[in-house]
Amino acid sequence: MEPHIVIRKRSVILYGHKTSISIEDDFWIFLKDFANKNNTPIHKLIEKIDKKRNGQNLSSAIRLFCFNIAKRR
């Protein structure tokens, strides 16, 4: 039996504008923990990820960011 993966829509304010990101709970929790450990507001971290993404959508860029951080650990 496969695990049940829930993708939730999350509202964030980026660059002063409200937007939503659809992302799985595990990635969101990882991102929030990373932001907290680095004393960075989550919206600032997401803005940083947004500025560096190469054409992929923001949710995918966040997943890749989390994956790359986890891979380095």
Side-chain angles (χ1 to χ4, degrees):
M1 185 172 178
E2 291 184 34
H4 187 255
I5 297 172
V6 178
I7 297 176
R8 297 187 199 278
K9 213 169 218 180
R10 318 221 181 236
S11 294
V12 292
I13 296 177
L14 301 179
Y15 313 108
H17 301 283
K18 189 174 182 180
T19 190
S20 63
I21 300 165
S22 296
I23 196 159
E24 297 82 357
D25 288 341
D26 289 344
F27 285 107
W28 186 252
I29 291 166
F30 186 97
L31 191 69
K32 281 177 54 176
D33 287 346
F34 182 83
N36 287 336
K37 288 177 184 171
N38 289 280
N39 298 316
T40 303
I42 194 157
H43 74 277
K44 289 292 184 188
L45 178 59
I46 295 172
E47 286 176 356
K48 196 173 180 181
I49 294 167
D50 181 54
K51 288 176 184 173
K52 292 183 178 183
R53 66 184 168 127
N54 296 320
Q56 76 264 53
N57 70 46
L58 184 53
S59 297
S60 294
I62 291 169
R63 287 183 192 97
L64 288 171
F65 174 84
C66 294
F67 174 77
N68 285 321
I69 295 296
K71 191 168 70 170
R72 283 187 256 162
R73 290 184 178 170

